[in-house]
Amino acid sequence: MCGITGYKNFSNRDDLAQSLKNATKSLVKRGPDNNATFSQKSVGLGHTRLSILDTSSKANQPMTDKSGRYTLVFNGEIYNYRELAETLAVELVTTSDTEVLLYLLIQDGEACLKNLNGFFAFAFYDSEEETILIARDRMGIKPLNYYHHDDFFVFGSEMKALFNYPISKEIDPHALYWYLRLTYLPDDLSMISGVKKLLPGHFMRVSNTGVDVQHYWHIEDPILFNGNYDDAKSQTVKLLEQSVERRMISDVPLGSFLSGGTDSSAVVSMASKFDSNLHTFSIGYKDHSFFDETNYAELVAKTFNTNHTTFSLTNDDLLNCLESVLAYIDEPFADSSAIPTYILSSHVSKHIKVALSGDGADELFGGYYKHLAFQRSSEKTIANHLIRLSAPMLKHLPTSRSSKAGNLIRRLAKFADIMEMKPFEKYWHLASFNLKADHYLLNPPEKNTIESFKLKFESPDEKFELNDFLDIDLQMVLPGDMLTKVDLMSMANSLEVRVPFLDKEMVNFARSLPPHYKIDKNKRKTVLQDAFEHILPKELHHRSKKGFEVPMLSWMRNELNASLNEVLFDEEYLEEQQIFNTSQVMKLKKKLFSQNPEDVHTTIWSLYVFQKWYKNHLE
């Protein structure tokens, strides 16, 4: 796990070499063990290293081959590198996957991408052709940002690297709209105009003639699973075991996150087979007992005899790390679960350098309430009929994520809304946190621009079902939100996180399963839960998913109120800034302290995070 950056000079600019050094230093938390740069002709490459495989200096990067022609900077891990090494006709001098990847690229070029099992973002330079081949893994586990100007091309693992190059820093209004609507930036959108994200499963070739982007893998119709339900359960366990085994390779201490939910518990059950002294970690919440699942985590740890550590947090612990989280975020990101993820990573990194996690299972197997809502919304049941009839009343009841009753009313109201919608529109309604994002913008994007973006994800088939819904999550929510959160918050603490559920074999298998294997009546992730029913403690089976809700509404009314008034609710500053609709933003302040705040804190948090980012990076 590392940080990479670099440039291609199309003119005779003399400022890019120094920019490269600064950009590389900005990524030091991604790789504190070593950092170095490489410059030759029109190209510069930078790398910061978190040593995981072959920790010797021989495996440092940028890594150049024996001929001196080719150089590689690489972020990630290739789990099948030993098997791939056997296809090479060269004597290797390290035991690293970096060297194997270098010579695979020399031997096969981009054709080798389809054979890689792992997560990665890399840049491969051919000095004779003066080209850079840049690629990103299939699921977008590792990030890659780039900016193409007439004079130069630059790239980096994080936006903070790009800020060190002479790029223009103008807000993209279309990206801002989707950020406010979703709380994260989807697809290839970036908050800075001209900056793009290389999409998962894509590669690009940068040469003197320009930039060419292509895909080597993309979402397409899978080969349908031809077994029965019991076969699917057996295959789920088998594939996860194989995936976890691949991800146990490490020359440094390795462990696993353990929340006590099915996903991380399943990972731990498999990992314990390969490490009799597996270290596991969970966080508990002293001030929020409803969300504290450490008793389940400790039960799993006891069952599989892991070396378990629980970090018990208070409300003050969450608040105290807030500035550190916002300081590291170099592009607006308003998923508040980043806060506990940061704290967990901070604690865990003091014990190990590599952690396994259960991320990705929800998007593959249908683990969210929105998946259940979508699946049930078209059913002709008495319950649905009653909800439809009560829709007008639900709109007038107080709703909030911050209380059990308010959250139930919120879900029912949203469910009632989607009943009359076409299936594809249901997705955007359920995926959105703020359906009126345009109200808060001074110059919102045109409606046809918004609709054109949505149509990028529409299934070519007229029938839009649960698997189509999950496919959009794989393309949008997973890389834009979940994986971005884990990458940013773990890398801020120099910790590598591996995600076994996103092994390419597991992804292909999960996508091949019929919808009713994933959601059955009120049960989500059905096949996954049933597959591990007799492996995990019985107390975990069929229990409700809690997750963790940061007490944002309470914070905004109390501890964060002064900061909100300074950073967001300053009418004079908003008018000078000329980005937001001042009157609409100020209405949020009144709503915050009303009897029925609804989900106002979600919108306020998105705006607050943006303003903090704006002040940190653009002013």
Side-chain angles (χ1 to χ4, degrees), residues 553-564:
L553 182 63
S554 175
W555 283 1
M556 289 178 175
R557 288 173 168 177
N558 299 285
E559 295 94 340
L560 278 182
N561 192 243
S563 183
L564 280 175

Side-chain angles (χ1 to χ4, degrees), residues 117 243 246-247 499-508:
N117 191 328
S243 176
R246 291 187 190 104
R247 284 155 182 77
V499 280
F501 278 107
L502 295 183
D503 184 275
K504 67 177 185 177
E505 301 299 331
M506 178 63 89
V507 171
N508 290 339

Side-chain angles (χ1 to χ4, degrees), residues 38-243:
F38 165 92
S39 296
Q40 189 179 89
K41 298 180 180 177
S42 63
V43 169
L45 302 172
H47 186 268
T48 62
R49 185 184 184 197
L50 182 65
S51 305
I52 304 296
L53 297 175
D54 189 343
T55 58
S56 72
S57 60
K58 288 182 180 179
N60 284 345
Q61 302 178 46
M63 183 179 284
T64 300
D65 78 310
K66 296 171 185 177
S67 73
R69 174 176 172 176
Y70 304 98
T71 301
L72 174 70
V73 287
F74 162 52
N75 169 29
E77 308 287 353
I78 307 300
Y79 302 121
N80 60 337
Y81 77 100
R82 289 170 181 155
E83 299 95 303
L84 294 172
E86 295 176 3
T87 69
L88 299 172
V90 63
E91 184 177 344
L92 302 174
V93 298
T94 75
T95 57
S96 72
D97 54 344
T98 304
E99 189 180 16
V100 172
L101 179 59
L102 173 63
Y103 284 100
L104 277 172
L105 288 162
I106 294 170
Q107 176 181 283
D108 302 325
E110 65 264 21
C112 78
L113 293 171
K114 66 181 184 296
N115 299 320
L116 302 180
N117 191 328
F119 59 159
F120 56 83
F122 65 75
F124 171 68
Y125 171 55
D126 180 341
S127 62
E128 189 170 300
E129 297 290 334
E130 280 199 73
T131 60
I132 310 173
L133 175 68
I134 299 173
R136 189 179 180 197
D137 66 73
R138 294 170 180 231
M139 305 312 298
I141 302 169
K142 291 292 97 188
L144 198 289
N145 302 278
Y146 67 92
Y147 178 88
H148 184 198
H149 185 272
D150 289 343
D151 287 347
F152 61 91
F153 170 92
V154 294
F155 67 90
S157 296
E158 296 179 9
M159 180 70 83
K160 58 176 63 69
L162 269 61
F163 281 150
N164 285 280
Y165 296 101
I167 70 171
S168 175
K169 295 181 182 180
E170 295 181 7
I171 300 296
D172 181 339
H174 184 231
L176 179 55
Y177 166 83
W178 281 109
Y179 162 73
L180 291 178
R181 180 164 173 171
L182 301 172
T183 74
Y184 65 89
L185 289 159
D187 201 47
D188 65 347
L189 298 180
S190 166
M191 197 58 73
I192 300 297
S193 293
V195 175
K196 295 290 183 184
K197 295 176 176 68
L198 182 61
L199 290 174
H202 282 64
F203 69 90
M204 63 198 313
R205 191 173 296 279
V206 185
S207 66
N208 290 329
T209 58
V211 177
D212 178 41
V213 180
Q214 300 180 41
H215 66 76
Y216 65 90
W217 180 87
H218 63 106
I219 293 285
E220 55 187 7
D221 290 340
I223 299 172
L224 298 180
F225 183 68
N226 60 6
N228 60 31
Y229 189 68
D230 285 337
D231 295 332
K233 290 195 297 181
S234 299
Q235 188 72 348
T236 300
V237 176
K238 177 184 175 182
L239 288 175
L240 186 61
E241 181 176 349
Q242 292 174 349
S243 176

